[in-house]
Amino acid sequence: MTKPLIHGLSRLELDEACKALGLPSYRAGQIWTWLYGQRVSDWAEMKNLPATLREVLACKFDIVSVLNQKLEGPPKGTRKILVGLRDGECVEEVLIPAGDRRTVCVSSQVGCRFACVFCASGKGGYVRNLDAGEMVGQVLLAWKEYGDRPSNIVFMGMGEPFDNTDAVLKAIRILNDPDGINIGARHMTVSTSGVIPGIERLAGEGIQVELSVSLHAPDDALRSRLMPVNRKYPLTELLAACRRYVAATKRIITFEYTLIRGVNDSRPQALALAKLLRPVSGRVNLIPLSPVEGFEGQAPTAGTAEMFIEVLGKTGINATTRLSKGTTIDAACGQLRMRAGGGDSRKTLE
Ligand code: SAH
């Protein structure tokens, strides 16, 4: 039987686990500091714990949740890590340095059930949810590779965060702990394909994380064709949920719109998008399509994003373009894993 991951425990759960072992209350604080202050990856390194206690903890919990299986990209540029998990599965994470920012794009699931036509993550289907400890593990791995604490976390890797909401929210709280990795909630972004129950849940959680909603089309017919999730949560209901979220949290939503040449990038579609978003008061992040195997779509021609920015701007909607920095290293969702043979290039963690 696999042991629980120590990095999947909240601070409170660690307190309780220590109490259950009959330990004095300061032990939990010591362990937390080793995990997130010193970031050790071996129980044996926790020098101020008695050796017998280290052995007990090692029997009860795993301390290594993820391994760097392969790293691609230039040292100071966007890099992608193929992350090996304990059961031999793998996911990917992306390190995106920009100025003072050290952003980490984290995966929340192995594979994905949502099957957006342009996304590599869904091509191999869904395998399993990640544990909170495996998401925290990805951030610790990024810290090691950056040589510094990551500043921003985006849940935009493989998977749909709101198909694994409990674990994603737990990971966010662990990452946010001021005595731990201490990443401010506003520096964490959850991106959803539009799963309404997840948006509603986040609205009631009282955490100040950023919310991104992947839209990619201004009408139901096209959106359902690109993103099957739209059949369950169509645009009118999705945008109503977004409005409720904004009213409840007073936060701004970012709508992601991947531009696909000749599919969703015309002027009338830009106008339709502006009309659709006007009542929500969000901003738009335009992403040029990163071509993927198995989808014939192409990136937009030069000037398309500028046209969208202009049309949306006239309606008072702020839009920006995300440079597809990862194109050369297959950094769009799921591409590295796909190239590595999906879940088939397995390597087991020791
Ligand atoms: N499941 C979440 C997180 C996924 S990835 C979601 O759907 O929001 C983050 C963003 O990258 C999403 O907007 C997704 O639609 C987009 N994306 C996926 N594949 C892409 C590709 N090949 N080119 C451009 N954007 C892509």
Side-chain angles (χ1 to χ4, degrees), residues 14-29:
L14 183 62
D15 283 346
E16 281 159 10
C18 288
K19 206 190 240 173
L21 290 171
L23 300 172
S25 59
Y26 64 86
R27 288 292 183 212

Side-chain angles (χ1 to χ4, degrees), residues 48-275:
N48 57 359
L49 303 187
T52 45
L53 173 57
R54 283 185 252 144
E55 277 164 31
V56 170
L57 290 167
C59 285
K60 286 202 165 293
F61 298 100
D62 268 349
I63 195 168
V64 178
S65 57
V66 299
L67 270 192
N68 180 347
Q69 226 167 265
K70 189 175 173 188
L71 181 85
E72 284 190 0
K76 289 205 160 65
T78 299
R79 282 179 295 168
K80 185 153 192 163
I81 304 176
L82 188 65
V83 178
L85 307 172
R86 289 185 298 174
D87 58 357
E89 294 294 347
C90 57
V91 291
E92 38 189 75
E93 65 174 302
V94 188
L95 313 188
I96 312 154
D100 289 343
R101 285 185 178 210
R102 291 172 302 279
T103 300
V104 191
C105 176
V106 169
S107 288
S108 56
Q109 296 181 313
V110 183
C112 183
R113 337 175 187 261
F114 287 72
C116 300
V117 293
F118 48 81
C119 180
S121 295
K123 299 278 180 240
Y126 166 84
V127 181
R128 71 168 172 88
N129 279 335
L130 291 194
D131 179 271
E134 292 172 315
M135 293 181 246
V136 172
Q138 290 174 61
V139 175
L140 292 171
L141 203 58
W143 188 328
K144 205 163 147 198
E145 295 303 338
Y146 272 132
D148 208 342
R149 192 178 69 93
S151 61
N152 295 69
I153 310 296
V154 295
F155 288 86
M156 292 188 184
M158 299 183 72
E160 165 52 50
F162 288 154
D163 191 32
N164 187 17
T165 314
D166 285 341
V168 167
L169 292 176
K170 191 170 186 197
I172 286 171
R173 292 194 192 281
I174 295 170
L175 294 168
N176 184 228
D177 187 288
D179 298 323
I181 303 182
N182 191 20
I183 294 174
R186 288 170 189 216
H187 292 169
M188 293 192 258
T189 302
V190 176
S191 177
T192 180
S193 57
V195 179
I196 293 177
I199 297 173
E200 287 172 339
R201 168 104 184 259
L202 188 63
E205 285 287 311
I207 30 175
Q208 305 268 301
V209 296
E210 300 291 330
L211 175 65
S212 283
V213 174
S214 298
L215 220 50
H216 308 323
D219 63 84
D220 277 320
L222 179 59
R223 192 164 189 270
S224 292
R225 191 151 66 79
L226 298 175
M227 306 175 73
V229 66
N230 191 68
R231 293 176 205 147
K232 189 160 184 195
Y233 303 117
L235 280 171
T236 318
E237 288 171 34
L238 174 59
L239 291 168
C242 289
R243 277 204 300 280
R244 290 196 298 276
Y245 175 90
V246 172
T249 62
K250 309 276 179 283
R251 301 197 62 76
I252 290 179
I253 295 178
T254 300
F255 292 95
E256 288 160 277
Y257 196 98
T258 292
L259 292 163
I260 311 168
R261 193 191 302 181
V263 174
N264 65 355
D265 67 343
S266 71
R267 185 172 280 270
Q269 285 165 318
L271 287 162
L273 181 65
K275 196 171 161 206

